[in-house]
Amino acid sequence: MDHSKNYITPKGIEKLKAEYHELLNVERPKVVEVVAWAASNGDRSENADYQYGKRRLRQIDGRLHFLQKRIEAAEVIDPKSLKSDKVIFGATVTIENEDGDVYTYQIVGEDELDIKQNKISWKSPVARALLGKKLDDEVKIQKPAGDEMVVITDIVFE
């Protein structure tokens, strides 16, 4: 996989676009309004509303710029359209460790990472260890506490 690409699922790109839209069309205009009102009150050097508003505008503009670049670089891949006997981007993989503990992860884009929902970035150490492997393969995952051997028990695309 090309590490400069921004691989992302359809849900992930929609989330980025929704955040961009919210910031640009809802939050930014509100902050501009507050800054304009605060500026009209005179001395800006001691005006907390004005100073906070300007800082918040810089944060919003920075985030908008970041989101725009991520959206432009996005290569949308729909897991439902994939078929493979190997672990690839978008796969939901179930693994079992030597203690019999079972974990299921979906391999997603960097912008979709959500540990609570078991979504891991395709660039993460766990995903990199699993990518390209097949059902019943033994895989060594390098962890800070030491290497862990796991077996792939299921690969699905949903």
Side-chain angles (χ1 to χ4, degrees):
M1 289 191 125
D2 181 349
H3 284 278
S4 64
K5 294 258 192 231
N6 181 24
Y7 295 107
I8 195 164
T9 65
K11 283 182 185 172
I13 193 74
E14 288 312 311
K15 194 172 171 188
L16 288 184
K17 287 179 177 178
E19 181 183 352
Y20 184 88
H21 178 81
E22 176 75 15
L23 285 172
L24 184 66
N25 299 313
V26 179
E27 190 168 347
R28 192 175 193 287
K30 285 180 186 172
V31 175
V32 167
E33 201 175 292
V34 169
V35 169
W37 168 81
S40 72
N41 289 335
D43 185 7
R44 297 173 186 175
S45 65
E46 295 183 19
N47 187 326
D49 286 329
Y50 179 80
Q51 290 179 358
Y52 170 78
K54 292 296 279 185
R55 186 174 331 119
R56 184 66 188 128
L57 270 180
R58 284 193 299 276
Q59 292 169 341
I60 290 171
D61 289 345
R63 183 68 180 163
L64 284 170
H65 180 73
F66 172 81
L67 289 170
Q68 183 177 6
K69 292 288 182 207
R70 299 300 290 172
I71 291 167
E72 287 171 1
E75 186 159 323
V76 180
I77 299 173
D78 187 350
K80 293 182 190 111
S81 69
L82 302 174
K83 304 246 183 301
S84 177
D85 61 345
K86 292 182 178 178
V87 177
I88 59 175
F89 178 89
T92 299
V93 186
T94 302
I95 57 175
E96 184 175 340
N97 68 15
E98 293 162 318
D99 297 331
D101 298 326
V102 176
Y103 302 95
T104 301
Y105 300 107
Q106 182 182 17
I107 299 174
V108 296
E110 294 175 278
D111 299 310
E112 303 173 88
L113 172 71
D114 186 343
I115 296 300
K116 289 184 182 95
Q117 292 186 6
N118 296 322
K119 293 178 183 238
I120 60 173
S121 165
W122 64 279
K123 290 185 176 181
S124 72
V126 172
R128 286 202 319 262
L130 296 172
L131 288 168
K133 304 297 189 288
K134 296 181 176 184
L135 198 60
D136 297 325
D137 277 359
E138 277 195 38
V139 181
K140 179 168 67 170
I141 297 176
Q142 295 178 338
K143 294 187 168 183
D147 295 349
E148 181 178 32
M149 292 302 294
V150 299
V151 174
I152 297 175
T153 59
D154 196 20
I155 303 170
V156 295
F157 297 93
E158 49 191 19

